[in-house]
Amino acid sequence: MYRLLIIAFSALFALSACTPQGPVLGPNGKPLPRVYKIKAVSTGKIQLRMLDSVNALRNVAGAAPLTLNSQLTAAAATHSRDMSVQNRPWHFGSDGSSPLDRVKRTGYTGIMRGENISETYETELETLSAWMDLSDTRNVILDPESTDMGFSWHQDKNGKIWWTLVTGG
């Protein structure tokens, strides 16, 4: 009998670990954001995943694919860090620089076509989806004149991510 009781409690304990955990809800009843922690070794994978996703969307829209550009990526990285320092998502740097200024500083010889920014706890693909929901940010992604893309981010210690996507042509 004692052995049967131990087996029953063990089974209940094991099954309780299998219970799916739902999202944690905030005081407003909406799910709280989950922290998407980015590891330094994931940089290349994330950038290529974003490039592939953007190019898939562009393909459907009939636009030519973009190429990942290191100079535009440097401009994006600089701005992502700067937005974190300023603690606000906006297109101007703490030194008053515009997206055009930042792209020019990297030595990019093409024309800067657009910039999308975001402050979020979401993944890069969730951020891309949010950008596609708005006409102005969607137009940056699908701009038929764009040929190059830079993409980077900065993640704060609390998990907040500052995403920046820059296009040029």
Side-chain angles (χ1 to χ4, degrees), residues 18-86:
C18 296
T19 305
Q21 298 294 321
V24 178
L25 301 179
N28 62 358
K30 293 184 179 181
L32 293 173
R34 291 185 183 170
V35 175
Y36 173 56
K37 193 66 179 162
I38 301 173
K39 298 176 184 170
V41 296
S42 302
T43 298
K45 287 181 186 178
I46 291 171
Q47 288 173 328
L48 291 177
R49 188 166 43 237
M50 179 61 98
L51 178 66
D52 289 345
S53 299
V54 165
N55 283 336
L57 293 166
R58 288 176 62 85
N59 182 47
V60 169
L66 300 178
T67 302
L68 195 60
N69 180 279
S70 61
Q71 293 163 318
L72 294 179
T73 295
T78 299
H79 192 54
S80 292
R81 280 189 304 276
D82 193 44
M83 286 190 297
S84 171
V85 169
Q86 296 181 70

Side-chain angles (χ1 to χ4, degrees), residues 10-166:
S10 297
L12 283 174
F13 180 72
L15 286 175
S16 69
C18 296
T19 305
Q21 298 294 321
V24 178
L25 301 179
N28 62 358
K30 293 184 179 181
L32 293 173
R34 291 185 183 170
V35 175
Y36 173 56
K37 193 66 179 162
I38 301 173
K39 298 176 184 170
V41 296
S42 302
T43 298
K45 287 181 186 178
I46 291 171
Q47 288 173 328
L48 291 177
R49 188 166 43 237
M50 179 61 98
L51 178 66
D52 289 345
S53 299
V54 165
N55 283 336
L57 293 166
R58 288 176 62 85
N59 182 47
V60 169
L66 300 178
T67 302
L68 195 60
N69 180 279
S70 61
Q71 293 163 318
L72 294 179
T73 295
T78 299
H79 192 54
S80 292
R81 280 189 304 276
D82 193 44
M83 286 190 297
S84 171
V85 169
Q86 296 181 70
N87 196 32
R88 65 177 169 178
W90 75 323
H91 293 282
F92 295 94
S94 56
D95 61 356
S97 63
S98 71
L100 292 168
D101 297 329
R102 289 188 296 277
V103 167
K104 187 176 180 181
R105 286 179 193 162
T106 67
Y108 182 71
T109 57
I111 297 169
M112 186 256 181
R113 301 289 306 167
E115 179 182 71
N116 286 347
I117 59 172
S118 180
E119 167 197 19
T120 185
Y121 290 90
E122 296 178 330
T123 69
E124 68 280 359
L125 297 182
E126 289 170 315
T127 301
L128 176 59
S129 177
W131 284 337
M132 290 300 290
D133 284 343
L134 301 171
S135 63
D136 58 338
T137 51
R138 181 177 53 247
N139 291 342
V140 169
I141 293 164
L142 300 179
D143 177 6
E145 300 297 318
S146 294
T147 58
D148 300 313
M149 181 184 97
F151 179 69
S152 195
W153 61 90
H154 174 81
Q155 186 164 34
D156 294 339
K157 290 183 191 221
N158 68 1
K160 184 188 297 183
I161 307 168
W162 304 86
W163 300 104
T164 306
L165 180 142
V166 181

